[in-house]
């Protein structure tokens, strides 16, 4: 597998094995020689800028040096002590805008160190080896913590909290833990059921119980949790999506990209998914890109990604934007959907060309149609406010103070549902861990 | 381009690049390939009396840098493991087929006059240009009373050299071991015995590493290891020092030197020549990369000479010798300060932490408005030690700038704070 797509050899549809290969590891793990060579390039900077650019502040020069000295276990523990989901982050972090973007080697005209790949090398060998969980729990505090949502924020919070000696119960809506690690991240980034393996590893710390089918706002209330537990952490992510608000949006064959990806992630053998011939993806973020690329990799003949602005405005990173191109996805910029047409099912989408006029996106009156059997909407996820009654909301997210505490005493929040940084896995992990530390301080002060 | 033709101990060579006595010169096949590649000469793998030695497996250990580059190799091989007559016959053939190339015959024997003389004559009769006495092999052969067992005793060095000198009328090279406190003692002994030249260094006693699974030294032979001979880039500084010492010592000054030890490119060779060598010998670098490395050795050395205006090797041979002095002759008033070129600096912080933790706390670190770091040398605290220069990963980013302090040349013996000087004055 590579970043490049496997294409039909003779014009006939992709064979099952080709489709499956399209969903294997996009960046195969480094081998021993590559890890040695790459780790040797690292300058072992002091007060390194790459550390400052990592939301979880992993001691990058140290873990790379440990790879170089073949202390792989030490290296993995260096990573995991700052970021318990170092394995997922190594696979999905947009490193070019984080650690690797700040690597000093960019300034010498060399390629930055492949920090993500090295991180994966160290963490994978630890997780794959027959190793004990590397962190011990402190003496029991006798306290009980409730965590809502088993995504990276919730699980990072639960892990830290368990290490501090608390008993943690995680309440999760879905049947599997992991949040978007399990249901959202692109399949070729998280091959071989890695999300599940990582959660299993994380839970080995002990003291954490996950209860599934538990929905805040349905069979759970914040008030009950507050009274039963010493503190509550909310890590419910972004449960809602933005709508196109155009005619025809509710036709068959029009789907949220997030739902499309979720179904895809939950199908073990990707060749069992039948994909439409003509797929139109609307949006310009990483979700749009992931949906388009995965549709193409399933064997869709024509995948067109339509974004209302230009490449400079695209929220998707440069690497993601390149990915659509190497995956034969057509990209149309400066066009917005006007109407979705069809009978039983969607058949066609009409777009209008746009321009920026005095900073405002304006239709030009030029229209064009695209054939579509499947339309994937990817114009942004947003907070689902319904279950969050009583919490104050600011800038479309849950308001927290610098200690991750909400307006309610003893109720903390982190991850995509707050405004901490970019909506990224690594930021969610950082939030969860930091919030656990704040909760601990809060409870110590309260009781002590 | 400058002509590299030169004379080493009176022997004409098309260039100063010879292969040292070792596996690369073990048999005709290798030597012919070497001559095809352009090497000026070879010192044939050391010959001894039959029956030939038997080697063990494995034989080499290595010290790598973290990127698999070889810093040094150590070996526990013995001398040639082929019958003497096979070697001599091949020498005759190559001499005839390659008349413009030099072949030196390397030999060793137990410390008996007749044995040294008879073998030297046999080798000379095969047509070699000279004989090299292997008095340096530090493993295996020394346990049989040869190699470094002889080279570490100056009287024996002198005797072996004299015996060969008396037996043959071709140039005699005495090859020295570095496993000794003062290289001048065996060098002077070689001179007293009549050597035309000394070749140095042979390998340095060493253990390449320890296998932590089987708990045995490397290379290991069936779970046991022994010390071997260390060579390659790592030993170059040791060799340079020993060559320089012989070149500047009045008693050995006119001994010719065939320099060996960590030479891997034309620059290394030029450095040894500048320190007094007439020519150089190479082993490890050829073993790591093949004979083709001589191409750039020839090309690079000629271009260097053109650039500097040297017409012949002898034009720059020994030019660094007068500048190689005792510590007591250094100018105490000379002062350097490190300077960081901020346009080149990539803000890795290495100079700062090196100086802060282990030197003179002379490089400060300050957060910049743009989020980066600024590193700056504090001149008053910088002692000009060069540490930051060596750790900085960016070429030319740190430079050492001489301070124009107007002070006169002043050596330690002349220094007012030297207690011995003061004591003398008071007397
Ligand atoms: C398609 C897609 C691709 C992405 N790709 C990347 C990428 O490549 N790299 C990257 O760094 N980031 C990526 N992200 C972003 C990343 O996945 C999120 O930032 C991260 O998962 C946020 O973690 P979280 O724990 O806050 O929320 P989530 O991962 O969303 O987890 C929230 C959890 O809470 C549960 N939950 C929600 N509501 C309730 C409720 N009412 N009651 C009980 N449980 C509830 C959910 O079921 C879920 O398990 C991507 C996101 C998407 C959608
Ligand atoms: C700059 C410098 C100064 C040294 N000064 C001394 C010294 O004063 N006394 C001493 O016994 N060794 C001195 N050494 C040698 C070291 O103690 C050590 O033996 C040597 O560097 C080899 O060890 P290493 O290469 O593993 O560090 C010095 C080494 C360096 C690099
Ligand atoms: S900035 Fe780059 S070179 Fe420096 S420590 Fe980080 S990864 Fe290594
Ligand atoms: S170099 Fe390797 S292959 Fe060749 S003889 Fe030695 S051990 Fe065997
Ligand atoms: S070592 Fe060189 S590049 Fe690094 S901070 Fe110092 S001057 Fe800058």
């Amino acid at each position: 597998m590579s970043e490049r797509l496997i294409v039909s050899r003779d014009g006939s549809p992709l064979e099952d094995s080709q489709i499956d290969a399209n969903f294997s590891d996009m960046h195969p793990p480094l081998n021993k020689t590559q890890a040695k060579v790459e780790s040797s390039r690292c300058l072992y900077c002091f007060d390194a800028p790459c550390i400052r650019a990592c939301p979880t502040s992993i001691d990058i020069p140290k873990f790379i040096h440990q790879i170089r000295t073949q202390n792989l276990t030490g290296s993995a523990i260096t990573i995991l002590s700052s970021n318990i989901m170092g394995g997922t982050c190594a696979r999905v972090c947009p490193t070019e805008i984080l650690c690797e973007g700040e690597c000093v080697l960019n300034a010498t005209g060399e390629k930055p160190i492949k920090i993500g790949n090295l991180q994966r090398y160290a963490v994978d060998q630890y997780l794959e080896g027959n190793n004990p969980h590397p962190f011990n729990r402190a003496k029991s505090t006798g306290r009980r913590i409730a965590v809502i949502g088993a995504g990276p924020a919730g699980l990072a919070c639960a892990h830290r909290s368990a290490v501090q000696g608390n008993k943690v119960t995680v309440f999760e809506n879905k049947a599997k833990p992991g949040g978007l690690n399990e249901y959202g991240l692109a399949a070729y980034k998280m091959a071989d059921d890695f999300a599940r393996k990582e959660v299993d590893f994380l839970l080995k710390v002990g003291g954490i119980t996950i209860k599934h089918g538990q929905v805040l706002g349905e069979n759970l209330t914040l008030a009950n949790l507050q009274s039963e537990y010493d503190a509550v952490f909310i890590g419910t992510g972004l449960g809602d999506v933005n709508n196109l608000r155009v005619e025809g949006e509710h036709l068959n064959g029009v789907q949220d990209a997030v739902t499309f990806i979720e179904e895809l992630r939950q199908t073990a053998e990707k060749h069992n998914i039948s994909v439409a011939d003509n797929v139109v993806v609307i949006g310009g973020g990483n979700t749009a890109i992931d949906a388009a690329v995965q549709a193409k990799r399933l064997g869709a003949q024509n995948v067109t990604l339509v974004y209302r602005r230009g490449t400079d405005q695209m929220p998707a990173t440069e690497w993601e934007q390149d990915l659509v191109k190497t995956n034969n996805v057509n990209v149309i910029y400066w066009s917005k959907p006007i109407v979705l047409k069809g009978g039983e099912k969607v058949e066609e989408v009409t777009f209008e060309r746009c321009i920026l006029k005095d900073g405002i996106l304006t239709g030009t009156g030029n229209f064009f149609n695209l054939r579509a059997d499947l339309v994937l909407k990817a114009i942004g996820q947003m907070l689902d406010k319904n279950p969050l009654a009583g919490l104050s909301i600011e800038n479309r997210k849950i308001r927290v103070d610098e200690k991750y505490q909400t307006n309610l005493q003893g109720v903390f929040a982190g991850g995509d549902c707050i405004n901490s940084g970019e909506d990224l896995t690594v930021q969610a992990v950082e939030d969860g861990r930091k919030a656990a530390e704040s909760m601990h301080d809060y409870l110590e002060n309260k009781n002590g | 381009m400058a002509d590299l033709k030169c004379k080493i101990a009176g022997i004409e060579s098309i260039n100063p690049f010879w292969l040292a006595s070792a596996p690369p010169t073990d048999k005709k096949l290798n030597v012919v390939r070497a001559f095809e590649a352009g090497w000026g000469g070879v010192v044939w793998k050391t010959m001894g009396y039959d029956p030939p030695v038997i080697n063990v497996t494995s034989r080499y250990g290595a010290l790598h840098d973290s990127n698999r580059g070889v810093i040094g190799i150590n070996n526990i091989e013995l001398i040639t493991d082929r019958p003497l007559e096979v070697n001599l016959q091949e020498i005759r053939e190559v001499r005839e087929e390659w008349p413009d190339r030099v072949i030196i015959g390397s030999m060793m024997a137990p410390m008996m006059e007749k044995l040294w003389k008879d073998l030297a004559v046999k080798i000379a009769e095969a047509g070699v240009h000279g004989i090299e006495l292997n008095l340096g092999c530090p493993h295996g052969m020394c346990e049989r009373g040869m190699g470094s067992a002889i080279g570490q005793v100056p009287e024996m060095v002198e005797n072996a050299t004299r015996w060969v000198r008396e037996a043959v009328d071709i140039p005699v090279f005495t090859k020295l071991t570095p496993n000794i406190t003062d290289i001048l003692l065996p060098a002077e002994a070689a001179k007293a015995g009549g050597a035309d030249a000394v070749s140095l260094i042979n390998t340095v006693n060493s253990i390449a590493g320890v296998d932590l699974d089987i708990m045995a030294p490397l290379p290991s032979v069936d779970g046991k290891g022994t010390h071997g001979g260390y060579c390659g880039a790592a030993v170059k500084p040791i060799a340079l020092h020993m060559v320089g010492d012989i070149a500047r010592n009045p008693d050995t000054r006119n001994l010719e030197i065939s320099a060996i030890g960590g030479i891997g490119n034309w620059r290394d060779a030029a450095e040894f020549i500048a320190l007094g060598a007439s020519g150089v010998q190479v082993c490890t670098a050829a073993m790591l990369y093949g004979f083709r490395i001589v191409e750039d050795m020839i090309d690079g050395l000629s271009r260097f000479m053109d650039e500097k205006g040297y017409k012949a090797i002898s034009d720059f041979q020994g030019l660094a010798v007068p500048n190689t002095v005792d510590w007591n002759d250094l100018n105490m008033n000379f002062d350097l300060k490190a300077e960081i070129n901020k346009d080149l600096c990539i803000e890795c912080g290495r100079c700062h932490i090196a100086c802060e933790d282990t030197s003179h706390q002379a490089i400060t670190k300050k957060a910049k408005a743009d989020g980066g770091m600024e590193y700056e040398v504090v001149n008053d605290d910088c002692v000009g030690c060069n540490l930051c220069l060596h750790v900085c990963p960016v070429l030319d980013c740190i430079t050492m700038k001489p301070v124009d302090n107007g002070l006169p040349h002043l050596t330690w013996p002349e220094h007012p704070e030297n207690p011995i000087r003061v004591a003398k004055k008071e007397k």
Side-chain angles (χ1 to χ4, degrees):
Chain A
M1 239 311 280
S2 72
E3 286 175 25
R4 238 163 235 292
L5 162 90
I6 296 175
V7 292
S8 173
R9 287 192 204 97
D10 52 11
S12 55
L14 289 185
E15 291 159 21
D16 288 356
S17 62
Q18 291 178 311
I19 293 174
D20 291 344
N22 261 335
F23 286 93
S24 61
D25 231 322
M26 175 169 284
H27 297 117
L30 298 180
N31 62 34
K32 201 170 159 186
T33 304
Q34 289 170 313
K36 178 113 183 134
V37 170
E38 195 59 19
S39 61
S40 296
R41 290 177 58 230
C42 171
L43 297 174
Y44 202 1
C45 295
F46 177 73
D47 195 357
C50 54
I51 305 181
R52 283 179 250 140
C54 170
T56 55
S57 308
I58 295 175
D59 190 339
I60 295 164
K62 179 176 173 188
F63 96 70
I64 295 180
H65 181 68
Q66 288 172 309
I67 294 178
R68 178 161 50 205
T69 67
Q70 293 171 51
N71 177 7
L72 288 183
T73 298
S75 178
I77 291 173
T78 299
I79 295 161
L80 296 168
S81 18
S82 294
N83 181 333
I84 194 66
M85 293 201 156
T88 290
C89 291
R91 288 163 164 80
V92 308
C93 272
T95 51
E96 72 277 20
I97 60 166
L98 301 172
C99 54
E100 293 177 20
E102 290 302 312
C103 172
V104 299
L105 291 180
N106 289 300
T108 65
E110 293 166 82
K111 288 236 155 68
I113 300 296
K114 293 177 182 161
I115 300 170
N117 291 0
L118 287 169
Q119 180 173 319
R120 175 169 175 187
Y121 180 77
V123 173
D124 278 11
Q125 66 78 38
Y126 192 83
L127 263 55
E128 283 160 17
N130 188 19
N131 292 302
H133 189 82
F135 305 105
N136 294 324
R137 296 181 63 203
K139 189 165 73 45
S140 170
T141 58
R143 293 198 279 260
R144 299 166 68 233
I145 307 290
V147 169
I148 314 170
L155 289 174
C157 176
H159 183 268
R160 192 71 209 147
S161 201
V163 168
Q164 289 158 344
N166 303 305
K167 251 185 107 173
V168 186
T169 308
V170 183
F171 298 91
E172 167 60 46
N173 175 3
K174 294 214 148 90
K176 291 187 192 173
L180 291 172
N181 291 10
E182 174 63 47
Y183 293 100
L185 300 171
Y188 40 71
K189 293 182 186 168
M190 296 290 285
D192 301 324
D193 211 9
F194 183 76
R196 183 70 209 209
K197 290 178 192 163
E198 188 178 57
V199 173
D200 290 346
F201 157 77
L202 182 149
L203 293 179
K204 273 204 239 157
V205 70
I208 304 175
T209 312
I210 304 185
K211 293 191 170 163
H212 295 278
Q214 307 289 311
V215 191
L216 185 68
E218 290 181 18
N219 54 2
L220 283 180
T221 67
L222 208 46
N224 283 347
L225 292 176
Q226 277 179 284
S227 64
E228 280 175 46
Y229 291 85
D230 293 285
V232 181
F233 175 81
I234 302 174
T236 47
L238 299 176
D240 208 351
V241 292
N242 293 324
N243 285 320
L244 295 173
R245 295 201 214 117
V246 299
E247 196 191 319
E249 179 159 13
H250 302 292
L251 286 172
N252 274 334
V254 181
Q255 205 181 10
D256 293 332
V258 181
T259 311
F260 168 78
I261 292 170
E262 177 169 335
E263 283 168 15
L264 185 132
R265 279 294 306 271
Q266 294 310 307
T267 309
E269 297 190 321
K270 309 298 180 216
H271 66 255
N272 289 334
I273 304 171
S274 62
V275 71
D277 280 348
N278 299 295
V279 180
V280 172
V281 181
I282 300 172
N286 287 348
T287 301
I289 303 246
D290 282 3
V293 170
Q294 290 180 105
K296 192 72 202 173
R297 282 175 180 255
L298 283 173
Q301 270 168 20
N302 302 306
V303 178
T304 309
L305 188 149
V306 188
Y307 178 50
R308 58 192 175 135
R309 296 170 188 269
T311 172
D312 291 347
Q313 290 87 357
M314 256 201 179
T317 62
E318 206 178 311
W319 181 84
E320 298 270 357
Q321 294 197 37
D322 286 346
L323 196 63
V324 275
K325 292 172 194 151
T326 48
N327 280 272
N328 299 358
V329 171
N330 312 314
V331 185
I332 298 177
Y333 301 99
W334 299 111
S335 304
K336 66 175 182 195
I338 298 298
V339 58
L340 285 67
K341 295 181 223 157
E344 297 262 293
K345 268 177 101 274
V346 68
E347 285 164 16
E348 194 174 65
V349 190
T350 302
F351 290 91
E352 182 181 14
R353 292 267 175 208
C354 300
I355 53 165
L356 265 188
K357 227 186 205 163
D358 303 327
I360 297 164
L361 196 72
T362 318
T364 59
N366 287 331
F367 300 93
F368 64 93
N369 296 327
L370 287 180
R371 250 192 85 180
D373 313 312
L374 174 65
V375 175
L376 297 174
K377 300 185 288 180
I379 57 167
Q381 290 93 248
M382 61 179 186
L383 191 70
D384 178 4
K385 292 186 208 132
N386 293 334
L388 304 174
L391 290 167
S392 76
I393 307 289
E394 189 176 78
N395 290 331
R396 312 173 76 212
K397 302 243 183 155
I398 300 173
R399 182 164 65 83
V400 291
D401 61 17
E402 68 285 359
K403 304 228 131 220
Y404 292 90
Q405 188 160 213
T406 66
N407 59 310
L408 302 180
Q409 277 268 318
V411 178
F412 295 73
D416 281 0
C417 64
I418 67 162
N419 270 316
S420 47
E422 304 263 349
D423 288 344
L424 296 172
T425 311
V426 64
Q427 185 62 51
V429 173
E430 174 69 359
D431 290 353
R433 179 197 163 107
K434 279 276 163 60
E437 275 160 12
S438 293
M439 272 197 295
H440 193 70
D441 291 348
Y442 160 81
L443 292 171
E444 292 282 297
N445 293 335
K446 189 176 152 199
N447 302 358
Chain B
M1 285 215 294
D3 191 354
L4 298 184
K5 230 187 285 146
C6 55
K7 254 193 189 164
I8 303 163
I11 302 165
E12 304 249 4
S13 182
I14 60 164
N15 63 44
F17 304 114
W18 293 357
L19 284 164
S21 176
T25 64
D26 192 29
K27 51 189 180 298
K28 179 178 174 184
L29 183 137
N30 305 99
V31 170
V32 167
R33 288 176 64 84
F35 287 164
E36 283 166 356
W39 292 87
V42 300
V43 183
W44 204 272
K45 173 82 179 164
T46 302
M47 292 167 279
Y49 280 99
D50 289 340
V53 300
I54 299 171
N55 276 304
V56 292
T57 306
S58 60
R59 305 176 189 180
Y60 304 144
L63 183 68
H64 291 96
D65 65 23
S66 53
N67 208 1
R68 283 298 286 173
V70 173
I71 298 167
I73 279 190
N74 110 328
N75 84 88
I76 55 169
E77 266 180 352
L78 306 179
I79 61 174
T80 180
D81 51 12
R82 307 187 312 154
L84 179 62
E85 187 44 40
V86 172
N87 281 307
L88 296 179
Q89 179 53 33
E90 288 186 2
I91 289 174
R92 285 182 209 109
E93 290 167 17
V94 184
R95 273 295 289 126
E96 201 168 306
E97 292 163 26
W98 292 87
D100 68 338
R101 304 304 165 93
V102 176
I103 299 182
I104 306 292
S106 168
M107 65 168 286
M108 71 162 59
M111 268 317 275
M112 286 166 67
E113 181 170 351
K114 184 171 162 31
L115 294 178
W116 276 93
K117 286 189 162 168
D118 287 356
L119 186 56
V121 168
K122 273 195 189 149
I123 295 171
E125 283 173 359
V128 294
H129 293 87
I131 303 270
E132 187 176 271
L133 284 53
N134 176 346
L135 307 182
C137 180
H139 43 84
M141 302 314 294
C142 54
E143 293 175 26
R144 304 175 194 187
M146 292 181 269
S148 63
I150 299 174
Q152 286 168 337
V153 185
E155 300 78 55
M156 293 200 214
V157 172
E158 181 177 340
N159 284 339
T161 307
R162 177 172 300 111
W163 295 334
V164 175
R165 174 69 291 153
E166 287 169 3
V168 300
D169 55 6
I170 50 178
V172 174
F173 295 68
T174 301
K175 185 166 178 178
L176 306 180
T177 174
N179 300 304
I180 187 156
T181 335
D182 182 357
I183 197 67
L184 293 179
L185 300 178
E188 283 164 7
K191 192 179 172 218
D196 300 275
V198 284
S199 308
L200 72 159
I201 58 173
N202 207 311
T203 56
V204 181
N205 262 335
S206 59
I207 285 177
V210 174
D211 183 325
L212 292 176
D213 294 320
I214 64 168
M215 284 294 171
L218 291 165
S220 54
V221 179
D222 193 19
K224 301 261 189 285
T226 184
H227 73 265
Y230 196 41
C231 53
V235 307
K236 179 183 144 193
I238 299 170
L240 277 172
H241 159 247
M242 291 184 165
V243 165
D245 253 13
I246 293 173
R248 71 191 186 94
N249 170 40
D251 291 340
T252 48
R253 194 166 281 162
N254 48 10
L255 256 183
E256 287 209 42
I257 300 171
S258 180
I260 320 167
I263 296 164
N265 56 48
W266 64 267
R267 237 169 216 290
D268 298 331
E271 291 175 27
F272 277 98
I273 293 167
L275 267 187
S278 308
V280 300
Q281 300 183 27
V282 175
C283 168
T284 306
M287 290 178 70
L288 295 176
Y289 303 111
F291 294 139
R292 63 200 164 122
I293 56 164
V294 78
E295 293 162 17
D296 179 61
M297 288 181 162
I298 294 168
D299 189 68
L301 188 63
S302 326
R303 288 182 198 284
F304 158 77
M305 288 168 60
D306 288 349
E307 202 175 294
K308 299 280 183 188
Y310 302 131
K311 300 259 172 312
I313 301 272
S314 51
D315 284 359
F316 74 100
Q317 183 183 354
L319 287 189
V321 175
N323 294 329
T324 310
V325 297
D326 289 348
W327 197 95
N328 267 347
D329 295 324
L330 300 175
N331 178 9
M332 315 278 307
N333 276 338
F334 180 67
D335 196 11
L336 287 172
K337 300 292 173 201
E339 192 176 281
I340 294 175
N341 179 336
K342 288 182 186 156
D343 294 333
L344 292 178
C345 174
I346 60 172
E347 301 169 22
C348 72
R350 290 274 306 272
C351 56
H352 164 77
I353 199 61
C355 190
E356 192 71 12
D357 279 354
T358 74
S359 280
H360 297 83
Q361 298 74 47
I363 299 181
T364 56
K365 170 167 88 86
K366 268 201 310 266
K368 288 196 295 201
D370 72 0
M373 287 291 170
E374 179 163 285
Y375 294 94
E376 200 154 25
V377 177
V378 182
N379 272 348
D380 286 350
D381 294 327
C382 172
V383 300
C385 72
N386 283 3
L387 179 62
C388 57
L389 171 76
H390 294 308
V391 302
C392 179
V394 181
L395 291 180
D396 306 326
C397 177
I398 298 185
T399 43
M400 305 302 296
K401 292 276 178 347
V403 177
D404 186 7
N405 56 13
L407 297 172
H409 188 282
L410 179 76
T411 65
W412 179 239
E414 299 157 352
H415 201 284
E417 284 174 39
N418 178 348
I420 295 170
R421 177 187 169 277
V422 174
K424 268 191 192 148
K425 216 168 145 192
E426 280 168 357
K427 242 200 295 186

